[in-house]
Structures are given as structure tokens and as C-alpha cells.
């Protein structure tokens, strides 16, 4: 009997203690996990679609533009990667882009809120009172009551809901919102969180002639996404994605980075969004810093060791102390790349830096073509494209990369929890993507601008607007 007791004390009890400790640690990690339960991208109504003809009319309505600006805009929009089916705010269609009302911005956001949030909550069979955390990010519209308060009122959410209303965070704001939810989930259990990410174009359409500002009119379009997250263990089996890691890089302390992407007034006092010449450099530096931090968290050790060894191998040029350029292979730890649709140059730059194929870049390119740059919401349209094409399989890793004013580069990796194939916002058009050509029709319709004589130029009668 004594020997049995001795065995229990020396061996069985310590093993049981270890077992229960490990089980407690696993349970704790599970309860603190951050899952996406559902998401719904916003597709505005067809009467807000910016065709080639209408876009030309908007340009010619601007009395501050001349032939040189027309040529610049034509070149910019033809090379932008944007197609004819992107969406704009209603006041542009009503010819009021030079004098938008306060209510234009409010109604633009409320159309999005009511459509995307409503669809998602209905699909999940939950009501607003079941939401514990609400994070709203819309950078360029501040209202009283806040946009988050408008959502709470519309969906009758609880009095004790935890609310975060972000502004001024730019195109990279949705991952900042996810990071807020992630940190809350680490301290509290059994929560549901709603992230609402968008941008308001109505009060921010530029009507001056500064080239660094009119470029924004060519790229930014209406859109947004509502995302439902949870850390409830009972809902893990219904989840779509699990957050593995998230990294934020902010270079606001560097003047060059801070000033390259900023809202300001031009010489005529017209408010616009300035995209400076130092933007590509600032984006590159922030991107590389972000990669340095996230790479060890998502790549296998063998790839990190291979990369480190290659950096030390001398080149064949015979120069001592030099090293052969080494490229880290992110595909060893990532299956899909969800890239912010900041523009054709942004997509190409990331593709070149990460040595990605056209297959890898297709979701971002097609999203830019179909929906344009929808600011902080763009990542979710790219993700929805992957899902609509049935690319996302259980166990896959999705690498999200976003950039924003400040200057910021934020990234994260999601694990696909189950096979996904919902077409989401792409339902009506996914079968036609990718199209056979992405050639922009603007050149065919407005190419005559390039051949116009500056000395005698005037708009043809059919382009003259009252």
C-alpha cells in the first residue's frame, strides 16, 4: 500500500498537475483568440456607378482646370487600374461636388451602415443588443453625435457597450480596429465585437487644380465593410478566420513620412488630400520595417535560416564585404496575399518586393479595377474576391498588408478555419473576373486631349456644361 502511495505522489500527481496546467493554458489561449465570424462588404446602388462619360463630365465641370490638368488627369486615370464600375458619392451625380452639404456625408455613411451591418446581422441571426464592442473607423468625417452613436441608435445596442470611434487613421485603419478588438479579447471572455470600416468621400472631393490633390479623385471610391468578431468558445466552429498575428508600424516621427500623405488646403483655400512625391519612399521604408517584425512570427525557421545564410554569401563580383541580394520567400508561410488597393503602383511594388506571381496579385488588381481604392475597406474586398473564387481552404494563411497616412504600414495574418466560398459583394460579377483586358476606355473617349493645341484649346460644345 505504501509503495502505491509513493508511486502516486512521485509520478501520477505531478503528471496530473502538468496535464491540468497545460489544459488550462490551452483553454485560456482559446478563450483569448480572435475569430472573424462574418463580414459584409458594401456595394452601392447602380445609380452611383462612375462611368467613363460621367467621370469626364465631372472633370470638365471643374472651372479651375485647364488643358495641362486635363492631360495629367487622363494619364493618371488611364494608368490607375480602375475600371468603369466603381462608385462615387451621390452629390457628384447631382453636380454638387464643389459645395457638399453636411448631410451628404452623413447620408453616405448611413447608406453603408444600414446595408452592410443589416445584412450581416440578419445572416447571423443576432441583434444589436448582443454586440459587446463596437469599433468604427471613418477617417475624414466627424459628426455629432458620432458615427458610432448613430449605429448604436439604429441597431438599439446596449448601454454598457464598449465603443471606439476612430478618425484620421487613413487607409490602414481597419487593422488598427482589429488590433483594438484583439487586445480587448485578451482581457475579457465571451464577447462579440463589430468593426465598421469605411471612408466618407462627400465632404472631401477636391475641386482645385493642385496635381498632388486631384490625383485622389482618380483613385478613391465609395465602399466599406462590416466585420463581426468573437472570442466565444461556443462559436469557434462557425468562425471563418482566426487571427494569428498583427503588426503595426508608424513612422509619424519622420517629417518626410508624416507630410507625404496629408489633408490640407491648396493656394486657393480649397481642401484636398495631398499625395506627395516622397510617398513611395515612405511606403517602402515602412513596409520593410513591418516585414522585419512580422516575418519571424509567420515564417518557418528553415526559411529564416536560409535567408540569413544567403545574406552572408559573397557575390561573384569579387568585391570583398559585399553580399548577394537575398529575397525572403514569404510563400513558405503564407498561401494568399491580401494587398491594399492603394493604386496600381502600390500593388506592383509589393508584388516585386515579395516576388509574387500574377496569380497572387490578381485579387488586388481585380478589386482595384471593380471597386477602386475604398480606403480602409479595400482589404476586405480583396479577401472577398479570394473567397468568391473559392481559393480559401481550411488551414490556409492569408497575409493582409495595408498602408495609411501618418505614415503607417499595418499587417496581419489570418488562418482560414474552414473552407470558404461565399461570393459576398462579388456575387453578381465574379464569373466575369478576371476580364480579358484591363485597358481603360478613357483613352479612347478622351484621347483627343493629348493632341489639342494649348494656344487655341477650348472644350467642344458637347462637353461644355452650364
Amino acid at each position: 500500500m505504501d509503495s502505491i502511495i509513493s508511486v502516486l505522489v512521485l509520478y501520477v500527481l505531478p503528471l496530473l498537475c502538468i496535464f491540468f496546467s497545460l489544459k488550462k493554458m490551452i483553454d485560456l489561449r482559446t478563450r483569448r483568440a480572435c475569430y472573424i465570424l462574418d463580414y459584409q462588404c458594401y456595394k452601392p446602388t447602380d445609380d452611383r456607378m462612375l462611368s467613363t462619360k460621367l467621370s469626364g463630365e465631372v472633370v470638365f465641370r471643374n472651372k479651375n482646370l485647364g488643358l495641362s490638368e486635363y492631360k495629367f488627369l487622363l494619364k493618371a486615370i488611364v494608368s490607375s487600374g480602375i475600371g468603369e464600375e466603381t462608385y462615387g458619392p451621390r452629390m457628384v451625380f447631382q453636380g454638387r461636388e464643389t459645395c457638399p452639404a453636411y448631410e451628404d456625408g452623413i447620408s453616405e455613411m448611413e447608406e453603408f451602415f444600414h446595408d452592410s451591418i443589416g445584412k450581416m446581422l440578419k445572416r447571423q441571426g443576432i441583434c444589436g443588443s448582443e454586440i459587446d464592442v463596437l469599433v468604427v473607423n471613418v477617417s475624414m468625417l466627424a459628426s455629432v453625435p458620432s458615427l458610432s452613436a448613430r449605429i448604436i441608435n439604429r441597431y438599439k445596442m446596449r448601454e454598457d457597450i464598449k465603443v471606439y470611434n476612430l478618425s484620421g487613421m487613413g487607409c490602414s485603419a481597419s487593422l488598427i480596429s482589429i488590433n483594438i478588438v484583439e487586445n480587448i479579447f485578451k482581457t475579457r471572455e465571451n464577447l462579440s465585437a463589430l468593426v465598421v470600416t469605411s471612408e466618407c468621400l462627400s465632404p472631401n472631393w477636391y475641386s482645385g487644380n493642385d496635381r498632388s490633390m486631384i490625383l485622389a479623385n482618380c483613385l478613391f471610391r465609395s465602399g466599406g465593410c462590416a466585420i463581426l468578431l468573437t472570442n466565444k468558445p461556443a462559436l469557434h466552429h462557425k468562425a471563418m478566420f482566426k487571427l494569428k498575428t498583427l503588426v503595426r508600424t508608424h513612422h509619424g516621427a519622420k517629417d518626410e513620412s508624416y507630410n507625404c500623405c496629408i489633408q490640407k488646403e491648396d493656394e486657393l483655400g480649397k481642401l484636398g488630400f495631398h499625395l506627395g512625391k516622397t510617398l513611395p519612399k515612405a511606403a517602402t521604408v515602412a513596409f520593410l520595417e513591418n516585414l522585419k517584425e512580422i516575418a519571424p512570427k509567420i515564417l518557418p525557421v528553415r526559411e529564416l535560416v536560409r535567408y540569413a545564410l544567403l545574406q552572408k554569401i559573397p557575390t561573384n563580383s569579387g568585391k570583398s564585404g559585399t553580399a548577394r541580394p537575398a529575397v525572403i520567400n514569404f510563400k513558405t508561410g503564407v498561401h494568399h496575399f491580401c494587398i491594399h488597393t492603394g493604386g496600381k503602383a502600390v500593388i506592383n511594388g509589393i508584388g516585386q518586393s515579395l516576388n509574387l506571381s500574377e496569380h497572387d496579385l490578381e485579387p488586388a488588381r481585380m478589386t482595384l479595377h471593380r471597386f477602386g481604392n475604398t480606403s480602409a475597406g479595400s482589404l476586405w474586398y480583396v479577401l472577398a474576391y479570394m473567397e468568391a473564387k473559392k481559393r480559401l481552404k481550411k488551414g490556409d494563411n492569408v497575409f493582409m498588408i495595408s498602408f495609411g497616412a501618418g505614415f503607417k504600414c499595418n499587417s496581419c495574418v489570418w488562418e482560414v478555419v474552414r473552407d470558404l466560398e461565399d461570393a459576398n459583394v462579388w456575387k453578381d460579377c465574379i464569373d466575369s473576373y478576371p476580364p480579358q483586358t484591363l485597358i481603360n476606355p478613357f483613352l479612347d473617349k478622351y484621347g483627343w486631349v493629348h493632341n489639342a493645341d494649348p494656344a487655341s484649346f477650348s472644350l467642344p460644345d458637347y462637353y461644355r456644361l452650364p
Side-chain angles (χ1 to χ4, degrees), residues 99-307:
C99 53
Y102 170 75
E103 284 300 325
D104 289 326
I106 298 299
S107 62
E108 180 184 354
M109 290 296 94
E110 289 190 338
E111 280 188 49
F112 155 55
F113 296 158
H114 299 169
D115 180 86
S116 294
I117 298 175
K119 284 180 179 177
M120 187 179 65
L121 294 183
K122 182 179 180 181
R123 187 165 57 235
Q124 289 299 317
I126 66 175
C127 59
S129 61
E130 297 178 66
I131 302 298
D132 304 289
V133 181
L134 172 65
V135 186
V136 179
N137 65 260
V138 177
S139 291
M140 300 174 72
L141 177 67
S143 69
V144 179
S146 67
L147 294 176
S148 56
R150 293 175 184 274
I151 294 173
I152 290 171
N153 178 262
R154 168 77 180 189
Y155 294 99
K156 307 305 176 188
M157 297 179 176
R158 298 197 314 270
E159 294 179 356
D160 63 344
I161 187 171
K162 305 304 179 186
V163 187
Y164 301 82
N165 197 88
L166 308 183
S167 64
M169 304 303 289
C171 298
S172 196
S174 67
L175 295 192
I176 296 174
S177 299
I178 295 294
N179 191 212
I180 290 174
V181 173
E182 177 193 21
N183 289 332
I184 294 173
F185 281 0
K186 289 178 180 178
T187 59
R188 294 182 60 194
E189 300 176 10
N190 291 309
L191 299 180
S192 293
L194 175 62
V195 168
V196 181
T197 178
S198 183
E199 190 54 86
C200 188
L201 300 185
S202 293
N204 297 291
W205 195 276
Y206 179 63
S207 57
N209 59 11
D210 187 311
R211 294 189 178 188
S212 70
M213 295 184 181
I214 58 178
L215 188 60
N217 290 354
C218 299
L219 290 172
F220 288 100
R221 295 293 184 264
S222 296
C225 186
I227 307 141
L228 183 63
L229 303 105
T230 189
N231 66 347
K232 295 181 178 181
L235 295 179
H236 290 176
H237 69 284
K238 296 179 60 178
M240 304 173 72
F241 304 94
K242 178 183 178 180
L243 183 63
K244 298 188 71 173
T245 187
L246 190 151
V247 171
R248 293 166 55 181
T249 302
H250 201 306
H251 284 180
K254 301 178 180 179
D255 290 342
E256 188 176 55
S257 297
Y258 175 81
N259 291 305
C260 72
C261 189
I262 190 169
Q263 187 180 30
K264 66 178 185 178
E265 293 181 340
D266 65 9
E267 295 180 352
L268 300 175
K270 294 184 179 298
L271 189 65
F273 200 67
H274 165 76
L275 302 174
K277 294 181 179 179
T278 60
L279 177 57
K281 178 182 177 182
T284 300
V285 173
F287 181 47
L288 292 177
E289 287 295 321
N290 190 276
L291 289 182
K292 287 181 182 178
E293 185 173 349
I294 200 169
K297 299 179 179 182
I298 63 176
L299 298 182
V301 174
R302 65 179 184 277
E303 175 58 23
L304 298 174
V305 172
R306 183 196 69 83
Y307 177 70

Side-chain angles (χ1 to χ4, degrees), residues 385-455:
Y385 181 91
M386 296 177 185
E387 184 180 357
K389 285 293 185 180
K390 302 180 181 180
R391 293 188 180 188
L392 303 179
K393 304 300 181 183
K394 183 178 180 180
D396 287 356
N397 288 333
V398 182
F399 187 15
M400 279 187 168
I401 308 163
S402 63
F403 300 92
F407 190 84
K408 302 181 287 293
C409 176
N410 299 328
S411 67
C412 70
V413 172
W414 298 96
E415 179 185 346
V416 181
V417 177
R418 55 184 171 84
D419 291 354
L420 301 173
E421 55 182 35
D422 187 353
N424 204 294
V425 76
W426 292 89
K427 181 178 180 180
D428 298 332
C429 61
I430 192 62
D431 292 337
S432 62
Y433 275 86
Q436 293 183 352
T437 178
L438 295 178
I439 295 177
N440 195 297
F442 279 82
L443 190 59
D444 290 338
K445 190 169 183 63
Y446 301 110
W448 54 267
V449 168
H450 284 312
N451 301 319
D453 182 3

Side-chain angles (χ1 to χ4, degrees), residues 80-86 341 347 363-373 426 432-433 435 437-441:
S80 67
I82 288 180
E84 284 196 286
E85 296 183 314
T86 60
T341 58
I347 297 171
R365 291 200 196 282
M366 298 307 107
T367 299
L368 179 63
H369 181 268
R370 177 62 181 83
F371 294 99
N373 180 354
W426 292 89
S432 62
Y433 275 86
T437 178
L438 295 178
I439 295 177
N440 195 297

